[in-house]
């Protein structure tokens, strides 16, 4: 069994009426991280979780918590999420630089980058680093790998394999090439998020990812422990 693959349980599909026992279930099943999908109704067409939920989760577990910030102006909220107990801050690259004409306006989704402003991103990367936490950059499916100049300054890259906004969407196989290309020049964590399941995970791992996010596959399974075992057994 490979020890290098890590499973990150996304609480978007957890039962929030019993969050504490759901987090305990993640631990018991062998998930190594907790993924919190933060959505603001502007960067994505959905509203979900804020720091107050991270704070509650933090009280129930010692597992690392990742805040996947699908929000506009993420830099304004970095301290709030870290104060709430976040270990990894994941920043969407579409929040830095210029967006495509089709995704620039309010309500135009998915947000896609046509250029990347490394200096702007560095300001927020530095904010996370100054607090001693890890920082990942996230790219939406149609956003190209346009942030090579900061790869040395980040801990990981989160490759979105669905357009962000909702759980239970279909995996987009076109991102496999992006993962392969990134792995050829990046030694840090490559995380994949969206539509990961028994059918899609083997290709994701083969392409070079070492960290997989799962909401519906994990929480929807009658036996989440088997899901984790399966994912961790996949050959690179
Ligand atoms: C999508 C979120 C994902 C989502 C994954 O916008 O970023 O983390 O929860 O859900 P599944 O695993 O069901 O595709
Ligand atoms: Zn996510």
């Amino acid at each position: 069994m490979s020890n290098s693959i890590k499973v990150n349980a996304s609480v978007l599909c957890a039962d929030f009426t019993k969050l504490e026992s759901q987090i305990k279930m993640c631990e018991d099943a062998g998930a190594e991280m907790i993924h919190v999908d933060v959505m603001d109704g502007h960067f994505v067409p959905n509203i979900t979780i804020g720091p107050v939920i991270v704070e509650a989760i933090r009280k129930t577990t010692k597992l690392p918590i990742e805040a996947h910030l699908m929000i506009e102006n993420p830099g304004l909220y970095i301290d709030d999420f870290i104060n709430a107990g976040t270990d990894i801050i994941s920043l969407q690259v579409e929040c830095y630089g210029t967006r495509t004409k089709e995704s620039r306006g309010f309500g135009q989704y998915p947000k896609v980058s046509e250029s990347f402003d490394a200096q702007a991103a560095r300001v927020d990367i530095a904010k996370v680093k100054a607090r001693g936490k890890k920082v990942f950059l996230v790219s939406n499916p149609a956003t190209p790998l346009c942030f090579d100049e900061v790869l040395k300054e980040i801990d990981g890259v989160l490759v979105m394999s669905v357009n962000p906004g909702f759980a239970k969407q279909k995996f987009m196989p076109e991102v496999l090439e992006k993962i392969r290309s990134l792995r050829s020049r990046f030694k840090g964590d490559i995380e994949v998020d969206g539509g990961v399941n028994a059918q899609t995970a083997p290709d994701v791992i083969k392409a070079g990812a070492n960290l997989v996010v799962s909401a519906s596959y994990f929480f929807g399974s009658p036996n989440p422990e088997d899901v984790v075992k399966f994912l961790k057994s996949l050959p690179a």
Side-chain angles (χ1 to χ4, degrees):
M1 175 183 287
S2 161
N3 285 320
S4 56
I5 299 165
K6 287 190 177 157
V7 178
N8 195 352
S10 163
V11 294
L12 201 53
C13 285
D15 180 346
F16 279 80
T17 63
K18 46 179 185 182
L19 193 52
E20 180 169 13
S21 64
Q22 290 276 276
I23 299 294
K24 177 84 172 59
M25 184 278 278
C26 296
E27 285 183 355
D28 292 346
E32 283 114 330
M33 290 167 66
I34 302 294
H35 181 90
V36 177
D37 285 307
V38 180
M39 306 186 191
D40 67 349
H42 291 259
F43 184 80
V44 287
N46 191 10
I47 300 178
T48 55
I49 297 167
V52 68
I53 302 291
V54 172
E55 209 176 325
I57 295 173
R58 179 76 293 158
K59 287 180 184 149
T60 70
T61 185
K62 292 201 171 10
L63 290 181
I65 298 173
E66 175 186 26
H68 175 192
L69 301 185
M70 289 161 276
I71 62 178
E72 299 290 8
N73 303 306
L76 297 177
Y77 301 94
I78 287 171
D79 278 325
D80 291 345
F81 279 96
I82 292 177
N83 292 343
T86 303
D87 302 282
I88 300 172
I89 297 281
S90 296
L91 303 164
Q92 294 270 168
V93 294
E94 297 81 11
C95 292
Y96 310 97
T98 312
R99 290 176 185 168
T100 56
K101 195 158 54 59
E102 298 73 30
S103 73
R104 230 167 262 169
F106 178 75
Q108 291 184 302
Y109 305 116
K111 300 299 183 192
V112 177
S113 282
E114 69 181 17
S115 75
F116 176 68
D117 180 347
Q119 290 317 319
R122 279 188 177 113
V123 172
D124 287 350
I125 291 169
K127 275 186 199 167
V128 181
K129 296 272 180 195
R131 299 286 309 268
K133 303 298 175 187
K134 288 188 177 176
V135 62
F136 284 23
L137 284 180
V138 190
S139 83
N140 282 345
T143 293
L145 292 172
C146 54
F147 43 96
D148 274 24
E149 58 190 301
V150 300
L151 281 181
K152 286 203 171 71
E153 299 155 49
I154 61 178
D155 299 286
V157 175
L158 170 48
V159 176
M160 288 307 297
S161 40
V162 297
N163 287 317
F166 303 93
K168 302 181 191 163
Q169 298 187 80
K170 202 168 165 295
F171 181 82
M172 298 166 75
E174 53 269 40
V175 304
L176 290 170
E177 189 45 46
K178 202 166 161 181
I179 301 168
R180 274 191 285 272
S181 160
L182 182 64
R183 184 46 89 202
S184 70
R185 56 189 193 275
F186 182 62
K187 299 228 173 336
D189 284 321
I190 299 183
E191 180 172 32
V192 174
D193 184 10
V196 172
N197 59 34
Q199 287 70 47
T200 58
D203 287 342
V204 163
I205 300 301
K206 226 175 276 158
N210 65 302
L211 188 50
V212 287
V213 176
S214 177
S216 52
Y217 175 44
F218 178 82
F219 282 98
S221 166
N223 197 344
E225 195 179 336
D226 287 348
V227 167
V228 174
K229 275 200 191 118
F230 169 73
L231 291 172
K232 289 176 76 69
S233 73
L234 292 170

